[in-house]
Amino acid sequence: MSSFDKEVETYAKTLLPHCKLFIDGEFIESKSGKRMEVIHPATEKVFCTVSEGDSDDIELAVQAAERALKGEWGNMDPSKRQELLFKLAEEWDKQVEELAQLESLNNGSPIATSRYVIKGLTDTWKYNAGWIDKLGGRVCVTDKKFHVYTKREPLGVIGVISPWNLPMWCSLVNIAPAIAMGNCVILKPAEQTPLTALKLAEIMQKVGIPKGVYNVVTGYGPTAGNAIVKHMRISKVAFTGSTQVGRNIMKGAAESNLKQVHLELGGKSPVVVFGDANIDEAVQLAAFAVFNNNGQICTAGSRTYVHESIYDKFVEKASQYVSSFKVGFNLDETNNFGPLVNKMQYDKVKQFIEIGKKEGAKLIAGGDFDGLPQKGYFVKPTVFANVTDSMTIGKEEIFGPVQSILKWKDIDDVIERCNASPYGLAAAIFTKNIDNMFLLSDKIKAGTVWVNNYHNVLHNAEFGGYKQSGFGREGGEEGVKAWTTVKTVVIQLQSNL
């Protein structure tokens, strides 16, 4: 073992949470006794193992959640629930650095990215806790012989299946509102990145969240994940990940108890750069759009459409800018890029780079592996120019650090090209012209459109996709309402009964 491997292993052990399942407020081994290996992406070494849960453990978690709903949690006053969640937000904020380091060790994200994301989730807890005493029902206007009102109630037991790229963000944007509205949650984190989910369990214990409210079953998708999807007493499942798996989850939900489904899926987001944009600023912002979090982000602006009047200059500057990025160990603050999450993703991104070369795109930055660490799943940020919409890298989601720069001339044409994708998660417009800002914001079919900025997903604004990027919203009022159901009560006055 190299000195670097030893350093990482020793450091990781100081951060590790309990590496068992968390069910009914306790850390326990899985019923099968099996364990899963967790690989560190910078060293390709196993740095811990966690319990491998399956359908038997999901059943235990459902039973624990049901007891909580019938007991302390279900009978708790909203004011007490709100108090607990504000206390949880306070404790979360105290542990931001440890959570960020654990997240980065687990999935390869640059530490600055993890720190920013984890810190922002403090406000997510607070925002959703704030809705507890504000989201209610209404009194309906009816004939005088009736008194009719509605009330919002929790859905019950919720399943959350989270991805590996932003494990805590993708989990908490569903967990925080679900718990705030009085539900109980079973989280199945991605098998590659289970550690911060278990760290959250420790925080839940510390602040006194009742048993059964938050449960974690680490395991694989076909076993533990599928058990959530097909369980007859789980009311809703939220999934973040690939579009194909999203289809399977919809099918499983339909074939079981017709549970509600929330899906945040793939994307191939366009960035439209107008000729009046500041080229230097646009180059840097377009790079951030696609390369943030090592390019492993569902909103990645991987289709960069640049107006023909500035195209050549933009390409030249993009090559210079991206070639200056540093790739290396992701806890080193001086590095811009860390490793990809695992070998499967590493091989997939390498394959897309080779396809781009073969299909005739012009490689202007990256695309080689010279000077990278011998171990670890490191890929240089890669930029292709002269990309067309028909090329594989111009239309398929890569989920890695690969930017495609395409040329456009006519505004109606570029709108049509943006909308030709089966995805519709996000888009961006870089321009000084206010008419074009509003025109494209209206015409592009995407759940979020950023104008002269990118990746600003706010806890008090709805986020979600169009088309095959999924449905349902995270954040904002709609993201809170999604975890309730409405009951209508009709009372007949002056009844003879």
Side-chain angles (χ1 to χ4, degrees), residues 427-439:
I429 306 153
F430 300 166
T431 182
K432 296 184 178 72
N433 186 301
I434 194 167
D435 291 335
N436 289 333
M437 291 179 191
F438 282 102
L439 175 64

Side-chain angles (χ1 to χ4, degrees), residues 38 103 106-108 162-165 167 189-197 341:
V38 179
E103 189 103 310
N106 204 172
N107 78 340
S162 63
W164 45 256
N165 62 316
E191 56 267 25
Q192 299 90 346
T193 53
L195 300 181
T196 42
V341 70

Side-chain angles (χ1 to χ4, degrees), residues 438-486:
F438 282 102
L439 175 64
L440 266 72
S441 296
D442 287 344
K443 295 294 185 180
I444 292 177
K445 302 300 181 184
T448 297
V449 179
W450 290 295
V451 179
N452 297 333
N453 71 103
Y454 211 94
H455 289 311
N456 285 304
V457 178
L458 310 177
H459 58 266
N460 58 347
E462 286 76 6
F463 173 80
Y466 282 27
K467 301 185 284 187
Q468 293 184 40
S469 289
F471 48 79
R473 291 297 181 266
E474 298 157 352
E477 184 175 354
E478 296 301 320
V480 179
K481 288 179 177 178
W483 301 100
T484 66
T485 189
V486 178

Side-chain angles (χ1 to χ4, degrees), residues 172-374:
L172 289 196
V173 291
N174 294 308
I175 292 171
I179 291 178
M181 292 299 102
N183 300 282
C184 292
V185 170
I186 301 166
L187 172 62
K188 204 297 285 184
E191 56 267 25
Q192 299 90 346
T193 53
L195 300 181
T196 42
L198 295 169
K199 185 65 179 178
L200 175 57
E202 293 182 359
I203 296 174
M204 293 274 188
Q205 275 187 325
K206 184 173 182 178
V207 301
I209 300 296
K211 293 181 178 181
V213 173
Y214 174 73
N215 306 274
V216 182
V217 178
T218 52
Y220 294 101
T223 50
N226 194 49
I228 287 176
V229 173
K230 294 190 175 180
H231 201 286
M232 297 298 291
R233 302 196 310 282
I234 291 179
S235 301
K236 182 172 181 175
V237 61
F239 169 75
T240 304
S242 73
T243 298
Q244 183 54 54
V245 175
R247 289 191 180 97
N248 294 338
I249 286 174
M250 287 187 69
K251 182 179 179 182
E255 291 175 346
S256 54
N257 62 340
L258 283 174
K259 60 176 60 65
Q260 294 184 32
V261 177
H262 170 95
L263 299 175
E264 200 264 271
L265 306 175
K268 190 69 177 175
S269 299
V271 175
V272 181
V273 183
F274 279 80
D276 65 346
N278 180 299
I279 297 179
D280 290 326
E281 293 292 329
V283 164
Q284 293 178 33
L285 191 53
F288 174 68
V290 64
F291 296 128
N292 185 33
N293 200 42
N294 301 332
Q296 296 176 136
I297 191 165
C298 53
T299 52
S302 53
R303 290 187 291 155
T304 308
Y305 288 97
V306 180
H307 191 263
E308 63 176 8
S309 63
I310 61 168
Y311 186 86
D312 291 341
K313 194 67 175 177
F314 185 99
V315 167
E316 178 186 348
K317 288 180 175 288
S319 174
Q320 295 169 356
Y321 181 65
V322 174
S323 296
S324 70
F325 289 154
K326 290 181 63 179
V327 181
F329 183 45
N330 54 309
L331 291 185
D332 183 342
E333 304 268 3
T334 66
N335 289 326
N336 307 103
F337 285 77
L340 302 187
V341 70
N342 61 13
K343 189 175 189 305
M344 180 183 296
Q345 191 64 19
Y346 173 77
D347 290 341
K348 175 185 172 185
V349 172
K350 286 177 64 178
Q351 183 179 18
F352 271 112
I353 291 172
E354 290 307 309
I355 289 172
K357 295 175 183 177
K358 290 178 181 177
E359 291 187 353
K362 182 181 179 182
L363 182 67
I364 63 169
D368 65 271
F369 296 84
D370 297 338
L372 296 177
Q374 291 185 348

Side-chain angles (χ1 to χ4, degrees), residues 136-140 148-152 486-489:
R138 63 188 178 92
V139 175
C140 304
V148 181
Y149 66 93
T150 66
K151 57 183 296 192
R152 288 190 175 273
V486 178
K487 176 183 286 183
T488 300
V489 179

